[in-house]
Amino acid sequence: MGSVLPSFQWLSLFFLIISVNVCAFKIPRLGTWQRSTKERDPEISSSLHLSDDDLKTFYYTQRLDHFNYRPDSYHTFQQRYMVNFKYWGGAKSSAPIFAFFGAEGPVDEDAKYIGFLRDNAPQFNALIVFIEHRYYGKSIPFGSSEEAMRNASTRGYFNSAQAIADYAAVLLHIKKTLSAQNSPIIVIGGSYGGMLASWFRLKYPHIALGALASSAPILYFNGIAPQAGYYYIVTKDFKETSESCYQTIRKSWSEIDRVAKKPNGLSILSKRFKTCDKLNKSFDLKDYLDSLYTDAAQYNYPSEHPVKIVCGAIDAAAKKTDILGQIFEGVVAYKQHRSCYDMNEYNHPTESFLGWRWQTCSEIIMPIGHEKNDSMFPPAPFNMKTFVQECRSLYGVLPQPHWVTTYYGGPDLKLILHRFASNIIFSNGLRDPYSSGGVLESISNTVVAVTTVNGCHCLDIQSRKANDPQWLVTQRNTEVKIIKGWIAEYKADLIALTKQIKAPAEPKS
Amino acid sequence: MGSVLPSFQWLSLFFLIISVNVCAFKIPRLGTWQRSTKERDPEISSSLHLSDDDLKTFYYTQRLDHFNYRPDSYHTFQQRYMVNFKYWGGAKSSAPIFAFFGAEGPVDEDAKYIGFLRDNAPQFNALIVFIEHRYYGKSIPFGSSEEAMRNASTRGYFNSAQAIADYAAVLLHIKKTLSAQNSPIIVIGGSYGGMLASWFRLKYPHIALGALASSAPILYFNGIAPQAGYYYIVTKDFKETSESCYQTIRKSWSEIDRVAKKPNGLSILSKRFKTCDKLNKSFDLKDYLDSLYTDAAQYNYPSEHPVKIVCGAIDAAAKKTDILGQIFEGVVAYKQHRSCYDMNEYNHPTESFLGWRWQTCSEIIMPIGHEKNDSMFPPAPFNMKTFVQECRSLYGVLPQPHWVTTYYGGPDLKLILHRFASNIIFSNGLRDPYSSGGVLESISNTVVAVTTVNGCHCLDIQSRKANDPQWLVTQRNTEVKIIKGWIAEYKADLIALTKQIKAPAEPKS
């Protein structure tokens, strides 16, 4: 495993951004909620709990490296976490703690969209905690994002094992501070955060009683799930919504290429798609459309149904325009009327984008690709060798595609966890492309899959709404019931064990 | 947690040795076998399997840091492991793999004394593997022990989390090399290695099907087990062997102090105890005797019964000499007649001594101490503050006494593992002082304690002998039966799962 890098390659932020944008591999974004929601539909956003005055912010002095004793490892950073005490029943009644694990973004943003904790805390008398992931938001080592991401030495501490060890330390700190030793902790996460939640229950069962892992593609590693799964489901979502829409999209790629090859072809495409900047290559347009469609499928909320919106517009335009016109109408329907469309919208070098890019290039390596007949998209098979080379040139260190399955497992999950582990819910919506890497069948009575045919990415942990479809209400109720079962069993065990300790031993006859 | 060290303190090997020898705290040695056996009784040693021609040595290119992506983390070292193929049934029959986890010493030495694998491999058709712990034996990073232990930066990678991640990588490598994906792995370890084995099953259930953790004091951390447990059991062993011997030892400490205070007192003591070098302080004599008694109790093998030997000599001398004379007769009986006795014998700065000293000063912090009435020894309470200061001055970094329980758990073990985890045997001999930090009661049907009233440290995993007492034979048979049960269940699960995958899904009515 591993090899000695001949020399350390320093990369400027500029080079980083450039390289990311010309990246040949596209790992679709994860994320518990759709970051473009707000700009698309302010009305929907305003209906969400966008602020929570009861959430108090704290900082924990976190160790930089939990698995090393070099002097550098002892450096610390301030890790942000937020607590809502409003519903908590207190330590004396061993009232539970709901802890949301932040993922690849600022946790205060998550706190706005993730309603599962707040919606259910009252009936559990639960404390609500949101903990931010290291290297995101306000939880940045080395003083600033720029410093933290400056080179391979500062980025090296940015990985999942360190992140869940952080969560362990923060949760023990909270329990100690509140003298809540007997309060069971339920950890909750979505997407990458869902992976962290399930992995946390496996690695730290003494800290978390159970985990709700929403839309966690923990099998999208090291060849366990098929590479084409993601794009296969995106395609299926579109095809099932409208066969003609699917056909139009499928044909559009070669049409774009055909026009691009004309004299002034890129100018024609730029005009027809109202791009903010003139296209330099047709790839940028295709990449933008790829992101738009996968985004629509992944966050195909039942209240908005973006796939229907896109397909509705594409189909409606069939009689009045050509394929490119139809595709553009789909863009307009999804993004609304704008003076121009930014082809680079999905690749802006935000903190989340850059952080996640590093994580997917070092440790969280999900080989997502698709061949010619797998999907409605142009073929883009995943080539590990090229991927490794590209990441290496980007970041100066060698990606470790086998490490996730070495540390967390993955192959033979059913065989292994059938008689080991307990209290994990893997929830998935089967319309979510990432469900192709999820655990979709229950492994045991207590390691269970809860799926919905029509659900999308992380839908179950988002805030409850008045117009939620019945299947979503049922899914959430099922999850709540399971968690109640864990806590009831835990409390019974706790009482039994306390009695056992207090009772004098039976004299042996 | 943690704090930024103001500056890095470089420590010479010389200073290290000096400091260790004047150490105010005594953490009794762990170790699966008694390193002084051979010199004491060559006959006993020759009866052990001191060589195994069927063990082939291999080296694995191991990553220096599994939990970091700094360029330094990618450095590698050669990790030694040894394999005996003689009894293996092969990959096709999914024949099991017995893997012994090396601890604080060279693994080829372990392979001589640990007979459990070789004694039982034939009936299991098992492959035998011994893997060496990083920083010991031939598995040294940075080219040499001296370089590896030179400073806090090179020592930083020397800890248990990295060590079990090494074992994970080596075991996956062996399985891959032998195409033995379906061969279940049983990990076996004694003492510190027993902790590693049980922790490995908890952290890497996808790699090890089960663990036999012999004499693993996993509860001797962070205030879970009482500090005085170790010395309490040593005392009990002596008292139960001979009340008068116990009384003599108990009184001897003040007698040593009384003589030491006389003019030429240290010369008198040096002569009476035939010390190789003249005593500089009475502490050195008392420290030597402390080590001798704890050593005798910890490795109180039924074939030799060193506690009986020591006490027999002490009691027999009662009529012909004074207390000091009696104590000296105990030394002679245990160590045999020598021209002189090396008061520093137990503190020689061997690789094992220095490595273990680092580990117990950084991560594996077992607060062993005793007050006035706890034992037959002079009081030596454990003071964490002083301990931390001493380790810090020795190694330049802050010990992390809470980390073991944060990462591996410990408090509420029964409550937690009752419904999580499976397939761990915690075996203990109740005459072993370290059993005071062991798991002595079964936690569930599959996380079980196997104890013997008269057993000592790691006795069960040592080589079978013709004159083993029946209770030891029974203990080993129990362990074998449990392991057979795990493997049988695993094979049934494997067959059931394979059938399930092969069978077409039932059409839903």
Side-chain angles (χ1 to χ4, degrees), chain A residues 1-5 8 60-63 65-72 74-76 152-159 161-162 165 168-169 172 181-182 201-207 358 362-363 397-400 403 405-412 414-422 441 489-490 493-494 497 500, chain B residues 1-5 8 60-63 65-72 74-76 152-159 161-162 165 168-169 172 181-182 201-207 358 362-363 397-400 403 405-412 414-422 441 489-490 493-494 497 500:
Chain A
M1 272 182 67
S3 76
V4 184
L5 283 178
F8 169 63
Y60 177 73
T61 301
Q62 189 62 269
R63 189 182 157 110
D65 191 334
H66 300 277
F67 304 101
N68 201 307
Y69 292 82
R70 294 161 43 97
D72 288 352
Y74 285 79
H75 284 288
T76 58
S153 284
T154 56
R155 281 188 301 258
Y157 307 90
F158 185 2
N159 61 66
Q162 300 285 357
L172 288 181
Q181 267 66 24
N182 287 335
R201 170 63 182 158
L202 291 177
K203 297 287 184 209
Y204 299 86
H206 48 288
I207 300 178
W358 156 254
S362 51
E363 180 194 30
V397 294
L398 203 65
Q400 301 291 305
W403 177 245
T405 51
T406 297
Y407 192 51
Y408 300 112
D412 302 324
K414 195 155 187 174
L415 181 66
I416 305 306
L417 297 189
H418 174 53
R419 296 188 192 277
F420 185 97
S422 57
E441 281 181 37
E489 190 178 64
Y490 164 83
D493 284 351
L494 192 64
L497 204 68
Q500 209 175 309
Chain B
M1 272 181 65
S3 77
V4 184
L5 283 178
F8 169 62
Y60 177 74
T61 302
Q62 190 62 269
R63 190 183 156 111
D65 192 334
H66 300 276
F67 304 102
N68 201 307
Y69 292 81
R70 294 162 42 99
D72 289 351
Y74 285 79
H75 284 289
T76 59
S153 284
T154 56
R155 281 188 301 259
Y157 307 90
F158 185 1
N159 61 66
Q162 300 286 356
L172 288 181
Q181 267 66 25
N182 287 335
R201 170 63 182 159
L202 291 176
K203 297 289 185 207
Y204 299 87
H206 48 288
I207 300 178
W358 156 254
S362 51
E363 180 195 30
V397 295
L398 203 65
Q400 301 290 305
W403 177 245
T405 51
T406 297
Y407 191 51
Y408 300 112
D412 301 324
K414 194 155 187 175
L415 181 66
I416 305 306
L417 297 189
H418 175 53
R419 296 188 191 277
F420 185 97
S422 57
E441 280 181 37
E489 189 177 65
Y490 164 83
D493 284 352
L494 193 64
L497 204 68
Q500 209 175 310

Side-chain angles (χ1 to χ4, degrees), chain A residues 304-380:
Chain A
E304 314 164 45
H305 215 309
V307 175
K308 256 190 198 155
I309 291 173
V310 172
C311 278
I314 287 177
D315 287 343
K319 287 188 180 162
K320 60 178 180 184
T321 180
D322 60 2
I323 288 184
L324 293 188
Q326 282 182 272
I327 296 297
F328 180 62
E329 287 303 316
V331 172
V332 173
Y334 190 59
K335 294 284 170 190
Q336 301 186 307
H337 284 284
R338 294 186 188 180
S339 57
C340 69
Y341 295 89
D342 175 10
M343 294 296 107
N344 209 29
E345 179 188 331
Y346 291 97
N347 299 322
H348 285 177
T350 60
E351 179 196 271
S352 287
F353 181 92
L354 295 175
W356 187 237
R357 183 76 209 160
W358 156 254
Q359 291 196 261
T360 52
C361 244
S362 51
E363 180 194 30
I364 310 293
I365 294 158
M366 290 180 286
I368 295 176
H370 45 97
E371 303 282 349
K372 199 175 175 189
N373 295 319
D374 289 334
S375 78
M376 66 183 188
F377 296 89

Side-chain angles (χ1 to χ4, degrees), chain A residues 417-447:
Chain A
L417 297 189
H418 174 53
R419 296 188 192 277
F420 185 97
S422 57
N423 299 3
I424 304 176
I425 299 170
F426 290 103
S427 68
N428 278 281
L430 300 184
R431 285 195 177 278
D432 171 17
Y434 269 120
S435 70
S436 57
V439 176
L440 304 180
E441 281 181 37
S442 292
I443 288 171
S444 69
N445 286 340
T446 62
V447 180

Side-chain angles (χ1 to χ4, degrees), chain B residues 252-264:
Chain B
S252 68
W253 313 107
S254 57
E255 182 61 14
I256 291 169
D257 287 339
R258 195 187 61 79
V259 174
K261 276 180 199 150
K262 283 185 179 180
N264 287 321

